[in-house]
């Protein structure tokens, strides 16, 4: 006679399927192939990580005032420490450093104010952040007002120039790209054709060509005696180039908005711009947040191409320091430092993108 099975749902699961042991079994050794990959990865980590830590941390030289301090077998972070200011602001005068520091501190404080919950008058602060703070930052960088001495743009460089190029490019590319996307979907043939030609023209050439053309061709069409700053020409080229890519990102968002939303706006009697600003664009932009942030990350890294027109961003400034005869042979430390800076900014933008996706997710 067989014994009847009596279920016991109150019993705890087996110890090998919960806790750290269960996680390891599920994620690292769930199948023979996964076990092989896990063991191979552990072998590679054992082979490469300890020597890397020894070179970068244990045997590294951290203090000193010259190359003589780097006599060990590890990394020479003295090179990065002594060149840090140069990597951050290029050839900006040392006695005027408080100006870029004040400009970036203003930007950070404004962003923190906007991110904090429950702060009053956020709409006005957002308007000043987008339209007012770039003007204030420009006069702090350049000078020429309120007794501030002028610092020419060819003295700007390093991380400061990278942030200026990417931030200004972002500020202009998003609204211009949105207008181009709306124009491409317009029912007016002339407007649609103009936007299509603009988008396909700029997408058909590489950024390095755009920068070269902005540096060489734009001065040829300027009136005699009129001189346009090299940095301004680069900013115009980058903004127009990125706006073409941004237009396609926004257009993809417009296409996923249900037709019923357009019809609902028409039923409410809203004008075209009111329907777009109040109903269509908020939904479209929300769905393409990953694409928008991806375009911004691409722009942040593509600023390294401005070296071709004689501007020295972070990577170019680091590379230029390798030619100093006093610090030959420390390129690995410089590239690692620049890579960490780029990774920090790109990873921060990626995480903020995920935060926005979750915050604006409405369940459809």
């Amino acid at each position: 006679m067989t014994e009847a099975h009596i279920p016991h749902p109150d019993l705890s699961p087996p110890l090998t399927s919960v806790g750290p042991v269960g996680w390891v079994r599920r994620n690292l050794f769930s199948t023979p192939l996964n076990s092989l990959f896990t063991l191979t990865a552990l072998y590679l980590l054992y082979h490469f990580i300890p020597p890397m830590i020894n070179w970068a941390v244990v045997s590294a030289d951290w203090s000193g005032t010259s190359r003589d301090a780097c006599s060990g077998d590890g990394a020479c972070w003295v090179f990065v420490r002594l060149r840090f200011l140069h990597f951050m602001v290029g050839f900006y005068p040392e006695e005027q450093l408080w100006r870029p520091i004040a400009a970036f501190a203003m930007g950070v404080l404004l962003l923190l104010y906007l991110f904090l919950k429950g702060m009053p008058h956020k709409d006005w602060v957002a308007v000043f952040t987008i339209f007012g703070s770039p003007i204030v930052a420009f006069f702090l960088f350049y000078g020429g007002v309120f007794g501030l001495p002028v610092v020419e743009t060819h003295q700007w460089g390093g991380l400061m120039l990278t942030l200026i190029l990417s931030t200004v490019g972002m500020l202009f590319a998003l609204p211009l790209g949105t207008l181009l996307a709306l124009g491409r979907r317009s029912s007016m043939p002339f407007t649609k054709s103009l936007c299509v030609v603009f988008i396909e023209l700029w997408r058909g050439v590489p950024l390095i060509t755009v920068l070269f053309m902005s540096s060489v061709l734009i001065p040829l069409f300027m009136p005699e005696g009129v001189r346009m700053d090299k940095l301004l020409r680069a900013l115009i080229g980058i903004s127009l180039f990125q706006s073409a890519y941004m237009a396609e990102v926004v257009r993809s968002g417009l296409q996923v908005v249900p037709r019923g939303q357009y019809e609902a706006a028409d039923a409410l009697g809203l004008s075209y711009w009111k329907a777009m600003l109040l109903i269509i664009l908020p939904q479209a932009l929300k769905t393409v947040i990953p694409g928008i942030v991806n375009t911004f990350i691409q722009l942040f890294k593509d600023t390294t191409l401005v070296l071709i027109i004689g501007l020295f961003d972070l990577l170019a400034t680091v590379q230029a320091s390798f030619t100093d005869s006093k610090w030959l042979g420390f390129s690995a430390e410089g590239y690692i430092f620049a890579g960490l800076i780029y990774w920090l900014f790109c990873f921060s933008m990626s995480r903020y993108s995920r935060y926005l996706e979750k915050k604006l997710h409405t369940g459809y």
Side-chain angles (χ1 to χ4, degrees):
M1 181 178 179
T2 57
E3 186 176 353
H5 173 70
I6 302 175
H8 290 279
D10 56 326
L11 293 178
S12 59
L15 294 178
T16 55
S17 63
V18 297
V21 176
W23 184 91
V24 170
R25 287 173 61 89
R26 283 194 307 274
N27 296 279
L28 302 181
F29 298 98
S30 57
T31 65
L33 184 60
N34 285 350
S35 301
L36 178 62
F37 284 144
T38 300
L39 293 175
T40 304
L42 290 175
Y43 172 76
L44 293 176
L45 290 175
Y46 171 76
H47 190 71
F48 289 106
I49 296 298
M52 187 180 296
I53 293 177
N54 180 60
W55 177 81
V57 180
V58 179
S59 301
D61 296 302
W62 299 87
S63 61
T65 57
S66 67
R67 181 192 175 94
D68 297 335
C70 302
S71 56
D73 297 330
C76 178
W77 299 118
V78 180
F79 163 68
V80 175
R81 187 172 60 81
L82 296 179
R83 290 273 181 172
F84 182 79
L85 208 57
H86 181 57
F87 294 161
M88 293 295 104
V89 296
F91 298 98
Y92 208 90
E94 194 169 345
E95 65 276 10
Q96 301 294 326
L97 282 179
W98 66 270
R99 288 158 54 179
I101 293 174
F104 286 117
M106 177 185 65
V108 171
L109 290 176
L110 288 172
L111 291 177
L112 285 176
Y113 188 92
L114 293 175
F115 290 155
L116 292 176
K117 295 180 180 178
M119 302 301 289
H121 309 299
K122 275 193 174 183
D123 48 351
W124 289 106
V125 176
V127 171
F128 176 76
T129 303
I130 296 174
F131 299 103
S133 62
I135 299 174
V136 176
F138 170 76
F139 285 114
L140 279 173
F141 289 140
Y142 188 75
V145 294
F146 302 115
L148 297 176
V150 173
V151 179
E152 298 291 346
T153 55
H154 64 80
Q155 294 177 274
W156 303 6
L159 181 62
M160 183 181 82
L161 183 62
T162 299
L163 292 175
I164 291 173
L165 290 169
S166 55
T167 305
V168 175
M170 294 173 190
L171 286 176
F172 282 95
L174 182 57
L176 185 56
T178 303
L179 291 176
L180 288 170
L182 294 175
R184 186 160 190 168
R185 291 171 55 86
S186 172
S187 58
M188 295 183 288
F190 179 74
T191 302
K192 182 175 182 178
S193 301
L194 196 63
C195 293
V196 170
V197 170
F198 180 91
I199 293 171
E200 298 303 332
L201 176 66
W202 287 96
R203 291 175 67 201
V205 294
L207 179 58
I208 196 169
T209 305
V210 173
L211 292 172
F212 183 75
M213 291 174 64
S214 67
S215 179
V216 175
L217 294 184
I218 289 180
L220 298 179
F221 299 103
M222 300 298 293
E224 188 174 353
V226 176
R227 175 181 170 274
M228 185 179 289
D229 188 84
K230 184 191 299 183
L231 177 59
L232 179 59
R233 282 178 268 156
L235 287 171
I236 293 174
I238 288 175
S239 300
L240 295 176
F241 181 83
Q242 288 298 326
S243 65
Y245 283 88
M246 189 61 69
E248 289 302 280
V249 174
V250 176
R251 188 170 69 90
S252 66
L254 292 172
Q255 288 179 335
V256 302
V257 177
R259 184 64 190 168
Q261 298 295 311
Y262 293 88
E263 295 172 351
D266 293 338
L268 291 173
L270 297 178
S271 65
Y272 174 81
W273 288 109
K274 280 188 176 180
M276 288 296 157
L277 293 175
L278 299 177
I279 297 179
I280 306 302
L281 280 178
Q283 299 180 66
L285 294 177
K286 184 178 66 175
T287 59
V288 293
I289 288 175
I292 293 174
V293 176
N294 188 52
T295 305
F296 286 165
I297 290 176
Q298 178 188 352
L299 170 60
F300 183 77
K301 294 185 291 186
D302 282 349
T303 55
T304 56
L305 297 175
V306 297
L307 176 62
I308 193 175
I309 58 174
L311 296 175
F312 288 79
D313 73 325
L314 172 61
L315 184 60
T317 305
V318 172
Q319 288 177 322
S321 66
F322 299 156
T323 59
D324 188 347
S325 59
K326 297 179 181 178
W327 293 99
L328 293 177
F330 296 111
S331 57
E333 290 85 345
Y335 281 124
I336 290 175
F337 173 75
L340 287 175
I341 295 292
Y342 278 105
W343 178 84
L344 179 65
F345 277 90
C346 294
F347 181 73
S348 301
M349 284 189 277
S350 175
R351 297 300 298 179
Y352 184 66
S353 165
R354 296 190 62 181
Y355 165 76
L356 272 185
E357 283 184 77
K358 292 181 179 178
K359 182 180 179 181
L360 301 178
H361 182 63
T362 51
Y364 63 87

